[in-house]
Amino acid sequence: MDLKEFRQRGHEVVDWIADYYEKIESFPVKSQVEPGEIIAKLPMHPPQSGEGFDALMTDLNQQIMPGITHWQSPSFFAYFPANSCAESVLAEMLTAGIGAQCMSWQTSPAATELEERVMEWLREMIGLPEGFVGCTQDYSTTATLCALLTAREVATDFKINKNGFFDQPQFTVYCSSEAHSCIEKTAKVAGFGAENVRKIGLDSTFAMDPKQLEETIVTDKRCGLKPLAVVAALGTTGSTAVDPLEEIAAICKRHKVWLHVDAAYAGTALILPEFRHMLRGIEQVDSFTFNPHKWMLTNFDCSAYFVRDKAALIRTFEILPEYLKTSEGDRVTNFRDWGLALGRRFRALKLWFVIRSYGVEGLQKFLRTQIELAQRYSETIASTKNWELLAPTNFNLICFRFCPAGRDEATLNQLNERILEGANKTGKIFLSHTKLDGKYTLRLCVGRANVEERHVEAAWELLQSESRKISP
Ligand SMILES: *Cc1c(COP(=O)(O)O)cnc(C)c1O
């Protein structure tokens, strides 16, 4: 494709995206295809000669789009949103157009320095104290792996990096039983073993019970194990429960254990001063992650990772073969040493676009509108006969179920599963579920950038009508 055609096709593609957003409500939110349906339409072998752009767009529309679940639909209430906004999409196009690989300062000084500045902005926006420095990562999973590896190296004076696990104690990691699966995954990858991840019990709000945390740490120590890190969640994935950071921090201080905060989803709410109480205890926190790519309108992927001791992070990952040596020395930041991969995307650009386009006040207004809407529906559901909330609505995620009287728990689980499946099959909404206390829980997250009251109302109506179908 030459530049003349690129100009024309570029405009067509932007039109395609704008058309897509315009008619997004006409698609089934959850793709309705069967397993294998899409791949069966795709040629078995690559084309021998190149094809024109029209053919690609035709096949995108006919073969691919039916297999897309529409995450940008206002009736997408499942999981957590993967929000984007027009400014962020355009910044992503520019990033692709510039095509810079931003591993080192010299491979694009502006990418490094813009990232330094927007991470300072983000730190200030979410109320993390001075002293934390940040970088982008692709995912919170990666950030959490960085945290566990740094904790491991700091605890062993960087010996595992050097000698492996030879002669080391058995390390243990702590999180609540509602913590994200990435804690176990990263603990496995970091070499601790899934069996050494202690899943601490919960209080009545599904947050970690700090008393059980301390008891478990004490027992483990007594058995000769080495408690290494606690991962506290500000907003669990199941129900957005908030672990009591202040009490957990005090325990980590007493036992000299690394404290990592996983605020992947709800960290964005810290842009609102009324949620800053979640940060009590932050002075003891060693590392912190949240995902602008979930709630903060910055398109996938963009995770933020903050650490108190950047030297320890860099020492964990730094490796300097001759071909990467540069002459600037300490005067510059080389983000390649702040994580796993060498290559780095220019993620700061879209953060810069989003933060400047909305401003802090614009983001606050956006968040408050959603939280207020979710709170209202949460009250509606709680006060509707035969329905109940199963967890506090701390932000904009509502956890609830249909609970007609006289049914046992197993039956209620089946009924709610059928409601969910029935509602998703209509294509009008997409909801996902979790289990809280063994109870099948409908999760409705009022988090999509374009969600309005009418969409939440329609979802609630649909769920009630599904419930009447199965339990008249
Ligand atoms: C989504 C989520 C994660 C995982 O985030 P990725 O960026 O997909 O790795 C981790 N923790 C919590 C609490 C989450 O909600």
Side-chain angles (χ1 to χ4, degrees):
M1 188 182 290
D2 60 20
L3 282 182
K4 184 159 172 283
E5 189 183 356
F6 177 71
R7 270 179 215 284
Q8 181 207 330
R9 298 304 190 176
H11 285 99
E12 283 173 23
V13 166
V14 171
D15 281 338
W16 185 98
I17 298 171
D19 289 344
Y20 172 60
Y21 289 163
E22 230 163 53
K23 58 183 187 208
I24 198 156
E25 290 185 50
S26 66
F27 301 109
V29 187
K30 180 173 185 276
S31 172
Q32 309 276 307
V33 300
E34 294 296 327
E37 202 176 316
I38 301 293
I39 200 167
K41 286 192 260 179
L42 303 172
M44 296 288 280
H45 305 287
Q48 286 304 312
S49 47
E51 300 180 64
F53 199 71
D54 283 329
L56 299 181
M57 290 305 286
T58 301
D59 290 349
L60 168 69
N61 289 321
Q62 292 177 2
Q63 298 178 357
I64 304 300
M65 290 312 287
I68 294 294
T69 290
H70 301 282
W71 282 71
Q72 306 306 312
S73 162
S75 298
F76 182 100
F77 300 103
Y79 309 108
F80 288 135
N83 278 334
S84 72
C85 64
E87 292 87 345
S88 181
V89 170
L90 292 173
E92 189 75 73
M93 279 178 71
L94 293 167
T95 299
I98 294 167
Q101 204 275 57
C102 308
M103 58 185 175
S104 310
W105 180 84
Q106 75 162 18
T107 64
S108 275
T112 296
E113 295 185 15
L114 183 64
E115 182 159 335
E116 292 181 298
R117 184 47 44 93
V118 294
M119 293 310 291
E120 284 164 16
W121 286 6
L122 269 186
R123 180 191 64 71
E124 183 183 311
M125 284 164 63
I126 63 171
L128 286 187
E130 274 176 39
F132 276 99
V133 286
C135 62
T136 65
Q137 298 279 350
D138 46 6
Y139 309 111
S140 270
T141 302
T142 315
T144 298
L145 178 62
C146 291
L148 292 184
L149 291 173
T150 310
R152 188 189 81 180
E153 291 311 308
V154 168
T156 61
D157 197 22
F158 296 84
K159 283 212 180 71
I160 295 181
N161 262 357
K162 195 155 172 265
N163 304 324
F165 279 88
F166 172 74
D167 232 12
Q168 291 293 340
Q170 188 175 337
F171 297 102
T172 46
V173 173
Y174 305 79
C175 60
S176 90
S177 58
E178 277 292 308
H180 192 267
S181 55
C182 78
I183 318 299
E184 187 170 320
K185 192 190 266 186
T186 52
K188 287 199 289 189
V189 175
F192 307 134
E195 297 275 302
N196 293 311
V197 178
R198 304 278 184 260
K199 308 269 175 73
I200 306 298
L202 309 167
D203 67 15
S204 61
T205 69
F206 301 100
M208 187 194 290
D209 174 2
K211 201 164 150 274
Q212 290 185 47
L213 171 66
E214 182 147 39
E215 284 165 6
T216 312
I217 289 177
V218 168
T219 309
D220 283 344
K221 275 181 152 177
R222 211 177 287 137
C223 298
L225 308 181
K226 172 101 179 113
L228 182 83
V230 174
V231 181
L234 301 184
T236 56
T237 310
S239 74
T240 59
V242 177
D243 289 343
L245 192 61
E246 196 171 20
E247 288 161 272
I248 293 170
I251 295 165
C252 289
K253 188 173 185 183
R254 268 200 293 285
H255 295 280
K256 298 195 176 55
V257 173
W258 185 279
L259 178 51
H260 175 63
V261 170
D262 174 7
Y265 179 66
T268 297
L270 290 166
I271 298 172
L272 300 173
E274 58 267 35
F275 285 95
R276 295 271 168 82
H277 57 86
M278 297 194 295
L279 286 181
R280 258 180 243 140
I282 190 74
E283 58 290 339
Q284 188 62 33
V285 169
D286 295 287
S287 51
F288 181 103
T289 179
F290 91 101
N291 280 342
H293 72 219
K294 276 180 169 163
W295 199 3
M296 213 192 88
L297 301 165
T298 311
N299 68 285
F300 214 63
D301 57 22
C302 186
S303 183
Y305 181 50
F306 293 94
V307 295
R308 194 176 283 288
D309 182 357
K310 78 171 181 196
L313 174 68
I314 291 169
R315 205 172 149 201
T316 300
F317 287 103
E318 190 176 44
I319 207 157
L320 199 58
E322 191 57 36
Y323 51 80
L324 288 177
K325 286 183 185 157
T326 55
S327 60
E328 299 83 17
D330 287 348
R331 289 183 297 141
V332 302
T333 297
N334 288 310
F335 278 124
R336 58 160 195 254
D337 298 326
W338 292 51
L340 210 53
L342 171 61
R344 297 186 94 245
R345 280 159 46 65
F346 186 7
R347 293 192 198 89
L349 191 71
K350 59 192 175 188
L351 273 171
W352 196 47
F353 271 45
V354 169
I355 298 169
R356 289 183 63 190
S357 303
Y358 281 79
V360 175
E361 281 174 12
L363 289 169
Q364 288 175 332
K365 185 160 169 262
F366 162 71
L367 296 171
R368 285 198 182 107
T369 305
Q370 295 204 333
I371 291 166
E372 196 262 335
L373 189 54
Q375 297 292 334
R376 237 172 332 118
Y377 271 87
S378 167
E379 283 162 29
T380 302
I381 292 168
S383 59
T384 302
K385 186 163 179 274
N386 290 341
W387 291 81
E388 67 176 351
L389 295 182
L390 291 177
T393 306
N394 291 329
F395 307 94
N396 60 344
L397 171 69
I398 313 173
C399 293
F400 62 109
R401 71 170 176 176
F402 179 55
C403 58
R407 315 293 176 91
D408 62 22
E409 287 297 328
T411 311
L412 289 179
N413 284 355
Q414 281 167 9
L415 288 178
N416 282 280
E417 191 171 349
R418 282 171 60 197
I419 291 173
L420 183 88
E421 278 172 10
N424 286 344
K425 216 176 263 166
T426 66
K428 290 186 182 140
I429 63 173
F430 182 24
L431 241 69
S432 59
H433 80 282
T434 189
K435 271 200 177 153
L436 294 172
D437 238 353
K439 295 171 185 166
Y440 193 95
T441 305
L442 306 173
R443 287 172 80 267
L444 189 151
C445 186
V446 186
R448 264 295 306 143
N450 50 358
V451 67
E452 294 168 27
E453 172 147 18
R454 66 188 168 95
H455 303 112
V456 187
E457 178 62 29
W460 173 224
E461 289 293 329
L462 178 62
L463 291 167
Q464 290 178 95
S465 93
E466 289 294 323
S467 77
R468 283 189 292 270
K469 271 192 217 159
I470 58 175
S471 177

